[in-house]
Amino acid sequence: MSEIKEKEPLFSAKNRKLLTVPLGRENPITVQVLGICSALAITVKLEPSVVMALSVVFVLAVSNVVISILRKMIPPRIRIITQLIVIASLVIIVDQVLKAFVYDVSKQLSVFVGLIITNCIIMGRLEAFGMANKPWPSFLDGIGNGIGYGFILVIVGFFRELLGSGTLWNYQLIPQFIYDMGYKNNGFVILPPMALIVVGILVWMQRTRDRVLIEDN
Amino acid sequence: MFSNSYIFRFASIMVILVATLLSAAALLLKPMQDRNISIEKMQDILTASNIPANADNAIDLYNENMVQELAVNLSGEVKAVYTSSGFEEGNVRAFDIKVNEALKQIADFRTGKSTTEPLLPVFIIKSPNDSKTYVFPIRGVGLWGPVWGNVALKEDLVTIAGVKFDHKGETPGLGAEISTDDFANQFIGKRIFDSQGNFVSVKVIKGDASGDHEVDAISGGTITSDGVSEMLYSGLENYLPFIKSLKVL
């Protein structure tokens, strides 16, 4: 990318694209198939899905900005470890904050907050975008990719909690009389494989609507 | 482009900055985190004694209903008594004893590795249905990691008033069900001694549980269920001398 000299508006068409493209055609989960392990592990309920999504948005946006600010100072030979240190520090801070303010959710997320460090989406964005662009576009790119990851998580969490526990955000949604009529929560939906199946269905739906994404062999 | 000395300088400054930042965050947030952990502990003790508590009212309810915290040794002697107005005896607050560490100490003590006498916590709680309950924290192993819980015995020290189990990472929908009320409620009214006064604990069994010493296992959560059985037996066994010293047979 060549540096542009004239002032760009904050939400120019190019910058808006940074926010919208990761939601669809460049989606980290359904198109790039990154960050799958956390998508399987923490989407049993909606609440941890949302907290995880927000955590990733925060870590991704801030680390992208930090790397972008430092991009001219970072020696290329140690750039990967520098990126890792920035990500790891932010993740530890997020983890500590969750433990202090939303303790019960942090217990549900258990090790997976720590695993944001190894989430390939983040390292990938820093290397591909943060290292080469100015702070503001990097921030937008981080937010866009974070939301692109997060909203898939929330969709999966929504269906898994509804079908698996009959609740949403821990509120009983399916009334007792339906259970009395013989309806049962689906135990299979609670297990990780179902998350993969839901993601698979989302991938299928997306490719049906956006045929550009279909790979022909 | 970048000299080696620059790389070293860059790396050193970065590491020092990051270390400072993280230490500051950890120090600032620690009091809140510790408070959350003790709130959870209070909730678990209260729940076992059939006092419904949530994160907001746990501290008040605990202070209101806690009669005594005892630290007892393996011979059943009470080594420390703590009440809401301070220590009546000794200087170890049962609430601060970490059960997993105590169990390690017990293992070392029994094999002769260490000579320090391990102390176990006992909580005496006012309870709505019984004048008071004795709550015994226990800890064991599930399928994927540790499981732990509190067993509350009624004043006869035979009948279970209530239990509360929790786990680190059992399978949701299967082993993780041990932390639900449905599973815990099965234990209410069960007896840990048989009619001759022998310690038999309560077993979690597959199939039809019957009688005073059995509850139904979780279908599909066999290893976790077995872990709970084992935890109840070995956990309560450590307290037997203490229980027998108080129990009217």
Side-chain angles (χ1 to χ4, degrees), chain A:
Chain A
M1 284 219 13
S2 59
E3 293 287 333
I4 303 157
K5 285 283 170 280
E6 71 268 15
K7 261 293 254 165
E8 240 188 303
L10 279 186
F11 288 101
S12 62
K14 207 170 80 192
N15 284 348
R16 276 205 307 273
K17 255 212 171 83
L18 293 174
L19 279 174
T20 54
V21 167
L23 301 186
R25 208 160 274 193
E26 285 289 319
N27 190 287
I29 295 187
T30 60
V31 178
Q32 302 177 47
V33 199
L34 299 172
I36 291 291
C37 60
S38 51
L40 302 189
I42 52 101
T43 51
V44 176
K45 292 234 157 101
L46 192 57
E47 191 183 17
S49 309
V50 171
V51 175
M52 184 72 173
L54 292 174
S55 308
V56 170
V57 168
F58 171 81
V59 170
L60 190 46
V62 178
S63 60
N64 225 358
V65 170
V66 171
I67 289 294
S68 170
I69 292 170
L70 297 174
R71 72 185 184 281
K72 294 202 171 78
M73 290 157 57
I74 299 173
R77 267 182 289 172
I78 57 164
R79 69 179 194 284
I80 298 286
I81 194 74
T82 307
Q83 293 164 11
L84 201 55
I85 285 180
V86 171
I87 298 169
S89 320
L90 287 167
V91 167
I92 292 168
I93 289 172
V94 167
D95 195 29
Q96 298 282 330
V97 167
L98 292 181
K99 280 202 180 94
F101 296 104
V102 279
Y103 184 70
D104 46 342
V105 179
S106 84
K107 267 196 351 187
Q108 288 176 47
L109 293 172
S110 69
V111 298
F112 294 98
V113 173
L115 286 176
I116 295 176
I117 296 173
T118 59
N119 192 327
C120 14
I121 298 170
I122 300 180
M123 200 82 155
R125 288 329 293 170
L126 300 195
E127 185 67 4
F129 204 92
M131 287 296 286
N133 290 281
K134 288 187 172 162
W136 176 247
S138 299
F139 176 75
L140 295 179
D141 180 79
I143 296 273
N145 275 281
I147 294 174
Y149 164 90
F151 95 93
I152 300 287
L153 238 60
V154 171
I155 292 174
V156 177
F158 175 90
F159 283 111
R160 287 182 76 195
E161 182 170 1
L162 184 63
L163 300 173
S165 319
T167 57
L168 269 189
W169 206 267
N170 298 328
Y171 289 108
Q172 194 62 41
L173 207 74
I174 295 176
Q176 190 55 43
F177 74 84
I178 295 194
Y179 287 106
D180 296 340
M181 277 156 46
Y183 173 83
K184 271 197 163 52
N185 289 328
N186 187 335
F188 176 51
V189 179
I190 290 176
L191 300 176
M194 196 62 199
L196 204 53
I197 291 171
V198 176
V199 171
I201 292 171
L202 291 174
V203 171
W204 182 11
M205 280 163 53
Q206 192 187 5
R207 278 162 180 64
T208 314
R209 290 188 42 210
D210 191 355
R211 305 195 80 80
V212 178
L213 294 168
I214 299 174
E215 301 150 25
D216 25 288
N217 297 325

Side-chain angles (χ1 to χ4, degrees), chain B residues 10-24:
Chain B
F10 179 89
S12 317
I13 292 170
M14 182 173 68
V15 167
I16 290 165
L17 276 178
V18 164
T20 317
L21 185 73
L22 292 182
S23 313

Side-chain angles (χ1 to χ4, degrees), chain B residues 162-197:
Chain B
V163 293
K164 169 81 177 103
F165 296 120
D166 209 345
H167 62 95
K168 184 158 189 238
E170 299 307 291
T171 319
L174 302 171
E177 297 290 301
I178 60 165
S179 54
T180 60
D181 294 347
D182 287 351
F183 181 73
N185 289 343
Q186 295 190 91
F187 286 85
I188 297 173
K190 299 287 172 191
R191 300 161 72 83
I192 62 165
F193 290 93
D194 66 13
S195 48
Q196 279 87 45

Side-chain angles (χ1 to χ4, degrees), chain B residues 14-228:
Chain B
M14 182 173 68
V15 167
I16 290 165
L17 276 178
V18 164
T20 317
L21 185 73
L22 292 182
S23 313
L27 282 173
L28 287 173
L29 294 169
K30 186 133 183 59
M32 283 177 252
Q33 293 169 354
D34 289 342
R35 189 164 174 271
N36 286 333
I37 291 167
S38 47
I39 284 177
E40 189 192 28
K41 207 167 168 177
M42 289 174 183
Q43 264 181 287
D44 287 350
I45 294 169
L46 291 166
T47 310
S49 306
N50 301 312
I51 302 169
N54 60 37
D56 301 322
N57 62 15
I59 295 181
D60 295 342
L61 281 172
Y62 183 81
N63 293 335
E64 212 171 290
N65 294 294
M66 188 265 287
V67 184
Q68 281 181 327
E69 294 177 4
L70 311 175
V72 301
N73 67 7
L74 290 175
S75 333
E77 295 156 345
V78 176
K79 288 286 172 186
V81 180
Y82 179 89
T83 64
S84 46
S85 49
F87 284 108
E88 285 183 5
E89 193 186 320
N91 57 0
V92 182
R93 188 175 168 190
F95 194 81
D96 298 330
I97 297 176
K98 291 195 167 66
V99 178
N100 53 341
E101 285 167 22
L103 291 177
K104 266 199 207 89
Q105 284 174 347
I106 288 174
D108 287 349
F109 185 72
R110 286 191 173 142
T111 53
K113 248 200 224 164
S114 88
T115 48
T116 44
E117 189 181 47
L119 294 174
L120 287 163
V122 179
F123 302 93
I124 302 177
I125 306 288
K126 266 193 295 229
S127 169
N129 331 345
D130 317 277
S131 55
K132 61 179 178 183
T133 55
Y134 293 83
V135 180
F136 302 95
I138 51 177
R139 200 176 166 90
V141 187
L143 172 59
W144 304 113
V147 289
W148 58 90
N150 289 299
V151 181
L153 293 182
K154 294 190 173 189
E155 257 189 301
D156 62 3
L157 287 152
V158 175
T159 319
I160 293 181
V163 293
K164 169 81 177 103
F165 296 120
D166 209 345
H167 62 95
K168 184 158 189 238
E170 299 307 291
T171 319
L174 302 171
E177 297 290 301
I178 60 165
S179 54
T180 60
D181 294 347
D182 287 351
F183 181 73
N185 289 343
Q186 295 190 91
F187 286 85
I188 297 173
K190 299 287 172 191
R191 300 161 72 83
I192 62 165
F193 290 93
D194 66 13
S195 48
Q196 279 87 45
N198 303 312
F199 173 65
V200 283
S201 176
V202 176
K203 290 193 176 48
V204 185
I205 61 152
K206 265 171 117 158
D208 288 324
S210 60
D212 281 341
H213 315 295
E214 291 177 353
V215 296
D216 281 322
I218 296 148
S219 50
T222 310
I223 295 178
T224 313
S225 301
D226 291 351
V228 172

